[in-house]
Amino acid sequence: MNLKKLPKHSILVIAIITTWIKTYITYQTSFDMKIENAMQQLILFINPLAFLLFIYGISLFFKTAKVRNRYMITMSIILSIVVYGNVAFYRFFNDFLTLPVLFQTSNFSDLGNSAGSSMYFGDIFYFTDTILLILAVKFLPVAKEATIVKPNLRRTYFVLSFAMLFLNLGLAETERPQLLTRSFDRQLLVKNIGTFNYQLYDIFIQSKSHAQRAFADGSELSDVTNYIKSNQAENNKKTFGVAKKRNVIIISLESTQNFVINNKVNGQEITPFLNKLTKDKDTFYFDNFYHQTGLGKTSDAEFIIENSLFGTGRGAVFFTNSGNTFNSMAEKLDNNGYYTSVLHANNKSFWNRDMMYQALKIKHFYDVDSYHVTDANSANWGLKDIPYMDQSVNIMKKLPQPFYTRMITLSNHFPFTSDPEDQLIKPYTSDDNTVNRYFQTVRYTDEAIKELFKDLKKSGLYDNSIIVMYGDHYGISENHNKAMAQYLGKDSITPFDSAQLQKVPFFIHIPHSGIGKQMHEVAGQMDVRPTILHLLGINTKDDLQLGTDLFSKDHKDFVTFRDGRFVTDKLVYAGEVCYDKKTGQKTDISKCQPYIEQSNKKLDYSDKIINGDLLRFYDDQTGKTKSNNKK
Ligand code: GP9
Ligand code: MN
């Protein structure tokens, strides 16, 4: 090839093709896109093109070669950063970046070894297109030539690039109807419209949600309140108030999934203490309980527990809506004479907790500064769970009673590393070290809970408290399906299995009550708030909450996930497929249809409340709308 005689738009063509190919290879190698047919493959292949034609095409307006080249290199760098940012984020969160998350840089500095272990030297690959473009600009003679184009030609070029966009959207619409209007699942979006268009779409959605708050005036509330009131569950007279005036200790069990309960690895129990509790006469153990979190992970779980509403579909609600008005469980308990706090040995700004806890009306946040943390008593993400329990009970002893306190464990956090002396069981054996280690850190947290119970008994707090524990979200993401399939003795993990793996343990321990039993209702984190408040004898009939009391006969066996998947007693809906829960086989979609609609409605109402900040117009004392409370 004669490099001197390259066609005049070669630099533009090189920029487009290299970024296009790199993006496509990235889709194939770095994200799990779940491509099911040739059409989806085609959409995935063409989806970066329209955007790249457009963005690099702007260079056709520049009159000098120098400005044009600079523009293209700058764009290429920005796009490479976007792609790489998504890759690094995906490795950790198994999800794509959204704008609010980008502003959570304070979190990223704390992610420490997690983020570190998500970056490799080979990642230079994600910049190959930029490097090639820079080389082309430097060494190809054609790069020195200005490429002035006639307006007509330019117009044709842009018409073509828009045609490409519409072709892409058209194909996507046939594959996934209502893709853009029901955007609860980022995976589908990126798969269909591409990572660049998705990023633009996200900016659009963010601005829309800001506008939604600005324009909301409370009139939207009547729909929401009607829906919520018609789905309320009657109190159960037997359990209502059984734990009246007791202290409440709620523990978020980091990354603890339900499959570890009453299960073994290498013949050894993974959670011997929790296993005993599942059969304990003072404990309710729920074995069909699911997390409902999204990108906000631990913080989403906290949000759901406090408010019985979903987090937002984009980013962590702890960041996006920490300025909202809420009617949290903490606020409710504060009104009922409780002293409220959170005990968590991490920086107060992580997940924006310091801000959000004010909005949730939590009186005191005992953060890392309230703990004695040394090299010897920390590992992985920080203070180990056993010293954390010991020190937390020391703090609790000084709290005014009755108190409500939420604890958040940390040792069982990805990447699940621990000190040899804390490894109480042998690791699992598979070619996936994350999964292998997971069992050991879960085992350690179980030991920490045993320690907590012991400490509470010693301090005298135990008899007059209730202890509630929930798994916050999955610990083993779908990136580890191979090892999980091996552990569970399955050929592969289907979307049906993945949905079932979102089960997390939920315990309510009421010392000396003697009323405990194993409960099988299909439930979710949303149900914790009403369930606990009712056990304490506090009514929630005027609260705008989406969950129901798990002891009520009106509770429905139906749980919706943040991404629109759902589980009932008979069905599982996942990956756009309706499954029979008993057999795990595909079944007629029409069986799922009514629940799909109900799920969408629930998500929609929850989003309306949060995006419009509607609780600022609601008086939870009277259940009435407050007029004109714009602030
Ligand atoms: C950090 C802890 C972990 O304080 O809550 O958060 P996660 O990464 O699991 O959301
Ligand atoms: Mn967590």
Side-chain angles (χ1 to χ4, degrees):
M1 191 168 48
N2 186 350
L3 290 182
K4 290 211 170 98
K5 288 223 179 80
L6 287 176
K8 70 172 177 177
H9 291 297
S10 294
I11 298 296
L12 176 60
V13 174
I14 290 171
I16 294 171
I17 293 195
T18 52
T19 307
W20 179 17
I21 302 294
K22 178 202 70 181
T23 308
Y24 181 67
I25 296 177
T26 305
Y27 286 161
Q28 294 289 8
T29 55
S30 312
F31 303 128
D32 178 13
M33 288 293 194
K34 302 205 176 63
I35 298 296
E36 291 147 14
N37 56 43
M39 176 60 95
Q40 291 185 7
Q41 192 61 259
L42 175 72
I43 296 174
L44 190 70
F45 181 64
I46 63 166
N47 76 28
L49 195 52
F51 179 83
L52 295 176
L53 282 169
F54 181 81
I55 208 80
Y56 284 126
I58 290 180
S59 68
L60 296 172
F61 287 95
F62 297 125
K63 299 221 160 50
T64 67
K66 199 167 156 191
V67 179
R68 176 205 60 204
N69 292 344
R70 255 194 213 155
Y71 168 79
M72 283 205 273
I73 290 174
T74 312
M75 279 306 133
S76 179
I77 292 173
I78 294 175
L79 298 183
S80 288
I81 292 174
V82 168
V83 169
Y84 184 56
N86 272 293
V87 169
F89 188 74
Y90 193 90
R91 282 179 187 152
F92 190 67
F93 286 102
N94 211 25
D95 211 327
F96 298 93
L97 270 177
T98 83
L99 258 198
V101 174
L102 266 187
F103 296 111
Q104 297 170 16
T105 42
S106 59
N107 266 356
F108 280 99
S109 57
D110 287 340
L111 289 177
N113 60 24
S114 301
S117 72
S118 295
M119 285 183 189
Y120 311 99
F121 180 71
D123 289 355
I124 197 87
F125 162 76
Y126 301 102
F127 294 86
T128 14
D129 53 335
T130 309
I131 296 168
L132 286 174
L133 182 64
I134 293 172
L135 291 176
V137 164
K138 210 165 165 56
F139 295 111
L140 295 183
V142 68
K144 310 284 174 303
E145 293 168 25
T147 42
I148 301 161
V149 266
K150 292 204 186 78
N152 258 351
L153 201 70
R154 220 160 40 201
R155 210 169 300 137
T156 317
Y157 175 93
F158 282 104
V159 167
L160 269 176
S161 68
F162 275 105
M164 194 65 219
L165 177 67
F166 285 114
L167 174 72
N168 182 175
L169 291 180
L171 291 177
E173 185 64 25
T174 57
E175 257 305 301
R176 301 284 173 197
Q178 286 189 307
L179 177 73
L180 297 182
T181 41
R182 294 242 163 262
S183 59
F184 297 125
D185 184 355
R186 273 171 298 281
Q187 178 112 339
L188 280 180
L189 276 172
V190 175
K191 188 162 131 180
N192 283 286
I193 64 171
T195 172
F196 304 122
N197 290 328
Y198 157 71
Q199 232 63 250
L200 286 181
Y201 174 76
D202 181 51
I203 293 173
F204 166 74
I205 292 288
Q206 295 306 326
S207 339
K208 203 173 106 186
S209 109
H210 279 250
Q212 247 173 320
R213 185 187 190 278
F215 289 120
D217 61 4
S219 58
E220 306 86 345
L221 259 179
S222 58
D223 259 10
V224 180
T225 34
N226 287 343
Y227 171 81
I228 288 176
K229 299 238 153 115
S230 64
N231 284 290
Q232 255 173 359
E234 195 61 44
N235 298 341
N236 178 332
K237 292 207 172 56
K238 285 208 187 100
T239 49
F240 190 85
V242 291
K244 210 175 181 134
K245 291 274 179 282
R246 289 207 196 197
N247 302 315
V248 182
I249 302 164
I250 301 189
I251 308 152
S252 164
L253 302 174
E254 180 55 48
S255 301
T256 308
Q257 291 175 234
N258 196 58
F259 75 86
V260 298
I261 305 290
N262 290 323
N263 217 338
K264 288 183 175 169
V265 71
N266 307 317
Q268 292 176 292
E269 279 185 285
I270 307 159
T271 55
F273 185 73
L274 291 177
N275 294 351
K276 264 194 217 104
L277 281 188
T278 64
K279 297 166 199 104
D280 174 76
K281 64 173 181 33
D282 292 336
T283 307
F284 292 103
Y285 163 59
F286 295 80
D287 59 8
N288 262 316
F289 182 91
Y290 294 79
H291 83 82
Q292 295 173 292
T293 64
L295 270 181
K297 302 289 232 29
T298 311
S299 68
D300 269 8
E302 293 183 60
F303 183 83
I304 303 169
I305 302 295
E306 287 285 353
N307 302 296
S308 190
L309 295 170
F310 285 101
T312 50
R314 352 151 294 270
V317 62
F318 265 41
F319 275 94
T320 54
N321 295 82
S322 60
N324 275 24
T325 301
F326 297 105
N327 176 18
S328 65
M329 173 143 69
E331 178 174 359
K332 197 107 181 146
L333 287 170
D334 180 82
N335 290 338
N336 281 274
Y338 275 77
Y339 183 82
T340 63
S341 65
V342 171
L343 300 157
H344 181 44
N346 198 354
N347 297 339
K348 64 178 190 312
S349 64
F350 197 92
W351 282 131
N352 202 29
R353 284 188 173 103
D354 49 347
M355 296 295 139
M356 189 50 139
Y357 286 175
Q358 290 177 27
L360 296 176
K361 301 277 161 47
I362 289 162
K363 270 266 157 58
H364 198 100
F365 178 17
Y366 296 91
D367 64 9
V368 68
D369 294 337
S370 303
Y371 288 84
H372 178 62
V373 185
T374 62
D375 277 351
N377 71 7
S378 44
N380 194 7
W381 268 50
L383 184 61
K384 297 180 192 182
D385 286 349
I386 291 181
Y388 164 68
M389 295 298 177
D390 295 337
Q391 296 186 33
S392 294
V393 174
N394 278 335
I395 298 175
M396 274 184 230
K397 283 195 255 182
K398 298 186 196 110
L399 295 179
Q401 297 190 38
F403 61 73
Y404 162 85
T405 194
R406 286 200 292 103
M407 305 178 68
I408 303 164
T409 69
L410 209 46
S411 295
N412 186 41
H413 195 288
F414 180 85
F416 312 116
T417 46
S418 56
D419 292 334
E421 70 266 25
D422 299 322
Q423 297 169 356
L424 307 171
I425 52 173
K426 287 205 199 73
Y428 182 57
T429 329
S430 74
D431 57 14
D432 187 329
N433 287 325
T434 302
V435 174
N436 298 349
R437 289 191 299 261
Y438 177 72
F439 295 98
Q440 294 181 306
T441 46
V442 173
R443 173 65 187 84
Y444 173 76
T445 297
D446 181 79
E447 199 64 20
I449 299 164
K450 184 172 155 192
E451 177 88 0
L452 171 73
F453 274 62
K454 210 169 78 195
D455 291 346
L456 285 172
K457 283 179 184 163
K458 215 157 71 198
S459 70
L461 288 167
Y462 176 81
D463 302 318
N464 194 28
S465 299
I466 68 168
I467 302 156
V468 179
M469 293 180 277
Y470 67 90
D472 60 352
H473 49 78
Y474 65 80
I476 303 297
S477 74
E478 289 178 19
N479 295 335
H480 306 281
N481 274 354
K482 204 174 136 226
M484 273 309 286
Q486 180 191 327
Y487 176 73
L488 298 171
K490 291 177 181 275
D491 294 337
S492 65
I493 302 287
T494 63
F496 170 82
D497 299 319
S498 285
Q500 292 293 61
L501 280 170
Q502 305 314 307
K503 261 187 213 175
V504 292
F506 179 46
F507 292 91
I508 304 174
H509 180 73
I510 313 174
H512 316 300
S513 66
I515 57 172
K517 62 173 184 215
Q518 197 151 332
M519 308 278 282
H520 309 300
E521 8 289 290
V522 177
Q525 289 166 333
M526 210 77 84
D527 302 316
V528 173
R529 182 188 190 276
T531 306
I532 301 304
L533 287 172
H534 290 179
L535 286 174
L536 300 174
I538 298 168
N539 240 310
T540 62
K541 75 174 183 8
D542 285 323
D543 294 1
L544 290 191
Q545 57 187 5
L546 288 168
T548 49
D549 182 347
L550 292 174
F551 297 109
S552 163
K553 62 174 182 2
D554 301 330
H555 172 79
K556 295 195 182 68
D557 281 323
F558 173 33
V559 59
T560 301
F561 299 0
R562 175 62 257 190
D563 58 12
R565 286 181 286 175
F566 67 75
V567 178
T568 76
D569 48 343
K570 297 195 178 65
L571 300 165
V572 171
Y573 177 70
E576 316 257 295
V577 174
C578 192
Y579 294 91
D580 181 301
K581 197 177 182 189
K582 236 198 210 116
T583 63
Q585 298 301 311
K586 290 187 185 178
T587 181
D588 194 2
I589 188 80
S590 64
K591 290 189 191 152
C592 279
Q593 205 56 46
Y595 296 102
I596 296 177
E597 274 151 34
Q598 282 184 54
S599 291
N600 286 339
K601 211 177 212 171
K602 248 192 252 182
L603 287 161
D604 218 40
Y605 280 134
S606 183
D607 288 348
K608 274 212 176 93
I609 294 177
I610 311 266
N611 293 335
D613 190 8
L614 296 186
L615 288 168
R616 72 195 143 130
F617 304 119
Y618 188 72
D619 184 347
D620 44 75
Q621 302 295 322
T622 60
K624 294 214 171 71
T625 303
K626 294 190 237 176
S627 53
N628 288 330
N629 184 23
K630 277 209 171 199
K631 51 169 192 193

